[in-house]
Amino acid sequence: MKEATITQITGNGTWESKYGVLYQFEVTFDDDVILRVNAKTETPPYKVGDKVTYTVTKESQYGKAGKIQKESSSGFSNSAPMSPDRDAKIIRQTCIKASAELYKGSKWNAQQVIGTAEMLVQYCLTGEMPIKKEEDEALPF
């Protein structure tokens, strides 16, 4: 795989494959390589100026053919930015759901559900039970 910046993209027609219609493009890079590539859409998922990695998979008298992969700063393509407290939010959501399931079918109030969820969150984050042994008998589980 080589890294390069796209300097030009030219449409080169369509063709019918076993996967449906594919759109062919000739992509020119800043290292003067011209690569024929296929895409499933009329507009390729990269544009002029994008830094990409490419692989030449075939060379013939008609030129080079290959694949292009757009680089991403996060290591994942098309991913949303991650919030720093994302894990804590997921833990809280999971514990609230578990607490609500625990109280399902009984008389409960929101304070009980949230209180139990908060204990579960603390246990998930620290590995320690947030209550003393004497209070264990008061737990609903």
Side-chain angles (χ1 to χ4, degrees):
M1 293 179 78
K2 294 183 180 181
E3 286 188 17
T5 302
I6 297 173
T7 58
Q8 183 176 353
I9 301 173
T10 306
N12 197 21
T14 61
W15 63 283
E16 187 69 37
S17 76
K18 64 181 178 180
Y19 305 108
V21 175
L22 291 179
Y23 299 85
Q24 193 172 69
F25 299 93
E26 284 189 356
V27 179
T28 306
F29 301 98
D30 61 353
D31 61 2
D32 295 325
V33 170
I34 299 173
L35 193 66
R36 284 178 309 164
V37 296
N38 297 310
K40 293 180 181 180
T41 60
E42 291 183 55
T43 306
Y46 34 80
K47 61 187 182 318
V48 172
D50 282 351
K51 188 171 185 163
V52 297
T53 55
Y54 69 88
T55 306
V56 176
T57 57
K58 183 179 178 183
E59 283 190 63
S60 70
Q61 63 190 23
Y62 304 108
K64 297 177 181 180
K67 296 182 179 187
I68 297 175
Q69 184 173 4
K70 188 173 177 179
E71 288 188 356
S72 170
S73 60
S74 68
F76 299 101
S77 59
N78 298 326
S79 65
M82 296 264 217
S83 169
D85 61 346
R86 180 175 181 261
D87 289 342
K89 287 179 180 179
I90 291 170
I91 290 170
R92 279 196 303 274
Q93 289 172 345
T94 303
C95 290
I96 287 172
K97 181 177 181 193
S99 180
E101 286 291 321
L102 176 69
Y103 286 101
K104 184 177 174 181
S106 66
K107 285 197 164 199
W108 59 271
N109 62 43
Q111 186 176 1
Q112 288 173 303
V113 173
I114 299 299
T116 302
E118 286 175 348
M119 288 190 306
L120 294 171
V121 168
Q122 186 171 345
Y123 181 76
C124 288
L125 295 174
T126 66
E128 297 176 12
M129 285 299 289
I131 56 175
K132 297 186 182 351
K133 287 280 186 191
E134 302 86 53
E135 298 171 358
D136 282 352
E137 293 177 27
L139 290 176
F141 48 91

